[in-house]
């Protein structure tokens, strides 16, 4: 939903599925993700991936149906923005007391990364951003 006139219908549809609904501001931009893993005292921040869904949004179909999203690693952003998102990802990992492997998702609008979520159990399916990219990293 992108226009205010559709808000009531969208909230009612969400409430048909659940007793609660979250309403968020739409942020125009590109989607990126960065994986982080900590094992013992060693923390590894992965290369940044740019996510380009074939649909309007990175939705269920984009995530789980092969070919419905393109993932570009390393992301097509400057070294400065790459370092910024990797640093943010490391900080968020620590602030959220994460353990093991996580994937942290963002929208980049202008030069600002907007934190979307921490995926604390990134999927390990063939379409998983982590699994498919980790094969390339060795």
């Amino acid at each position: 939903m992108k226009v205010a006139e559709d808000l009531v219908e969208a909230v009612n549809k969400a409430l048909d599925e659940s007793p609660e609904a979250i309403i968020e501001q739409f942020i125009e931009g590109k989607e990126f993700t960065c994986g982080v893993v900590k094992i013992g005292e060693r923390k590894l921040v992965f290369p940044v991936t740019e996510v380009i869904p074939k649909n309007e949004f990175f939705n269920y179909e984009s995530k789980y149906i092969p070919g419905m999203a393109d993932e570009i690693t390393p992301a097509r952003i400057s070294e400065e923005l790459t370092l910024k998102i990797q640093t943010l990802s490391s900080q968020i990992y620590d602030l959220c007391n994460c353990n093991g492997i996580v994937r942290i998702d963002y929208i980049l609008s202008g030069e600002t990364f907007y934190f979307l979520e921490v995926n604390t159990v990134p999927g390990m399916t063939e379409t998983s951003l982590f699994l498919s990219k980790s094969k390339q990293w060795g």
Side-chain angles (χ1 to χ4, degrees):
M1 190 220 83
K2 285 187 172 180
V3 294
E5 293 77 28
D6 296 338
L7 180 61
V8 171
E9 181 182 344
V11 170
N12 286 333
K13 184 175 180 181
L15 292 173
D16 286 342
E17 300 295 324
S18 172
E20 299 174 323
I22 295 174
I23 301 171
E24 299 175 316
Q25 173 185 347
F26 176 75
I27 301 169
E28 184 75 38
K30 295 181 180 180
E31 188 157 348
F32 294 87
T33 190
C34 185
V36 181
V37 62
K38 185 174 182 182
I39 301 171
E41 294 302 312
R42 183 170 181 231
K43 185 192 298 181
L44 176 64
V45 180
F46 289 92
V48 179
T49 297
E50 180 177 352
V51 181
I52 305 167
K54 301 287 171 90
N55 295 324
E56 185 177 10
F57 300 106
F58 190 56
N59 60 9
Y60 182 88
E61 186 178 67
S62 300
K63 291 178 185 179
Y64 298 110
I65 297 178
M68 291 305 296
D70 293 326
E71 296 123 16
I72 300 170
T73 307
R76 301 172 299 177
I77 54 177
S78 69
E79 286 182 36
E80 178 184 29
L81 286 175
T82 297
L83 181 59
K84 184 176 184 179
I85 192 173
Q86 288 176 317
T87 301
L88 280 170
S89 296
S90 180
Q91 291 170 341
I92 290 168
Y93 185 100
D94 292 339
L95 290 168
C96 292
N97 293 317
C98 294
N99 291 300
I101 295 175
V102 304
R103 193 189 73 235
I104 303 174
D105 300 337
Y106 304 86
I107 294 288
L108 175 64
S109 183
E111 298 286 310
T112 302
F113 284 105
Y114 291 88
F115 165 62
L116 298 176
E117 66 177 341
V118 175
N119 186 328
T120 58
V121 187
M124 293 297 170
T125 65
E126 286 302 313
T127 57
S128 165
L129 289 167
F130 240 15
L131 185 61
S132 64
K133 292 303 172 190
S134 64
K135 288 178 183 177
Q136 295 173 5
W137 302 327

